[in-house]
Amino acid sequence: MSKTKKILLTLLGIFSIIVAGVVILVFSFTQSMKADPAEEKKVRDQAERYLGKTFDDGTEIYDVLYDNMGNRGNFEYAAKVKHEKYDTQFLVFFNEETGEMEDTFISDKWQDDAEKEIRPYVEKELGDVLISKEMGDIAESDEWKEIQEEIGDHNQLLLVFDEEIGKELKIDPNKPANYKDYEVSPTIRITLSRKKQDADDGRFTKIINALIKDGILKHGNMIVEYISANGVPLEDEEWSKKF
């Protein structure tokens, strides 16, 4: 066998090993992205017991969230639950850091309540907006293109409380109270599907001043971003202000 042939065979062997390695990695990654049915059943069972002990009103587990990208940190699987009285959608999960079952009911209910109250103030200055519950309904679709088409060039309003706010303030989920009764400082994120306008700073300040004046929200951090319908940033920097 010639020297050239030996070199070619060696290179072919190395190439084959690399290709095989890539295939194995791709397969492993694909498998890791799939939810484990046994784990889904486990978190459903855990959530059923937890809900029965914690909530007096009716609740329904309608799905399971699998955090395959590790974004949450303190859990991998969570039961998606709907509160029948308040129509609030929230999560129930086993917190791997605390070793306890927990839920996001208070933070999600307060998010719904606050967004409904803040929405008119935002729309008065910036036009119609979609709130998170509406965006959540749209996101139920499995088709990203369909989601984009539904959201289109709508402006968006998202208000976020700390997920553990209920636990920190020791609030009884059966007496959820009103977020206005507590010293809270949620994040208000507004997404505008257009470029920045000269009058925007004044509009944003008007929204904040009106919220404070009317007792809708005493404290918070408002962030405004400019993003096109296909998700491309239209400005280099976000606008933000704490109050």
Side-chain angles (χ1 to χ4, degrees), residues 83-102:
H83 195 286
E84 293 178 358
K85 179 179 179 180
Y86 297 109
D87 196 34
T88 297
Q89 295 178 356
F90 62 103
L91 300 177
V92 173
F93 56 91
F94 178 79
N95 190 324
E96 296 173 357
E97 295 179 356
T98 64
E100 298 177 349
M101 291 297 296
E102 297 180 8

Side-chain angles (χ1 to χ4, degrees), residues 4 18 20 22 28 38 48 52 54 59-60 63 72 76 85 88 106 124 127-128 134 149 172 187 189 198 202 217 236:
T4 303
I18 292 172
V22 171
S28 299
E48 284 280 6
T54 308
T59 55
E60 176 193 0
D63 203 354
R72 311 296 290 220
E76 192 173 15
K85 179 179 179 180
T88 297
I106 295 298
K124 181 180 178 181
D128 293 346
E134 294 165 338
E149 289 176 352
D172 183 349
T187 296
R189 180 170 285 276
D198 293 339
L217 196 62
D236 294 333

